[in-house]
Amino acid sequence: MDVFEMKFAKVYPLLIAKAERKGRTADEVYEVTCWLTGYTKEDLKALLNGDSTYGEFLDRAPRMNPDRFEVKGKICGVRIEEIEDPRMRDLRILDKLVDDLAKGKPAYPAYRRR
């Protein structure tokens, strides 16, 4: 199954669990997600209780942060800045933000300015 067709309520908790395993919190995952997408924490909780797909979560984002393109590096062996599909790039940017959060790395400068 394509990741974009998977239920948001199944995928997003995996991001939270990844961060929590490394001593980070769900609130921190919400924070980076809100920064990236423009959703509020309440919006995300509603999505978790709904039937939206992960693709719909990305497609319906209120305001994708233009500073997201400052997020660089590799996730799952793929360099983010080389991903041509905008939807997949945004998905991988969120993965990278959560991955770095879980690793205790400082937030991106663009993220810190907000």
Side-chain angles (χ1 to χ4, degrees):
M1 173 181 272
D2 183 304
V3 69
F4 297 113
E5 295 173 11
M6 296 175 74
K7 297 297 179 193
F8 178 78
K10 296 279 185 189
V11 177
Y12 195 71
L14 298 174
L15 294 175
I16 293 171
K18 178 181 188 177
E20 289 178 336
R21 280 193 304 273
K22 298 293 185 167
R24 303 313 287 253
T25 67
D27 282 339
E28 290 174 300
V29 177
Y30 283 121
E31 189 177 338
V32 296
T33 306
C34 292
W35 173 84
L36 176 64
T37 63
Y39 285 110
T40 66
K41 184 176 178 181
E42 293 74 27
D43 293 335
L44 294 173
K45 287 185 176 187
L47 285 169
L48 285 169
N49 291 317
D51 205 31
S52 293
T53 65
Y54 207 58
E56 290 167 339
F57 154 73
L58 289 169
D59 294 341
R60 296 176 182 166
R63 183 181 100 53
M64 293 301 286
N65 193 316
D67 289 336
R68 71 189 183 278
F69 300 114
E70 292 186 30
V71 177
K72 310 269 188 230
K74 287 186 177 182
I75 188 75
C76 300
V78 177
R79 185 156 293 286
I80 290 172
E81 52 273 30
E82 294 176 1
I83 299 172
E84 292 184 22
D85 178 348
R87 197 178 191 205
M88 181 58 77
R89 184 181 56 239
D90 288 341
L91 179 145
R92 293 300 184 192
I93 288 170
L94 180 56
D95 286 345
K96 179 71 172 157
L97 290 170
V98 173
D99 193 52
D100 285 353
L101 178 69
K103 291 178 180 177
K105 292 184 180 181
Y108 286 91
Y111 173 69
R112 294 172 58 135
R113 287 195 302 263
R114 301 281 172 209

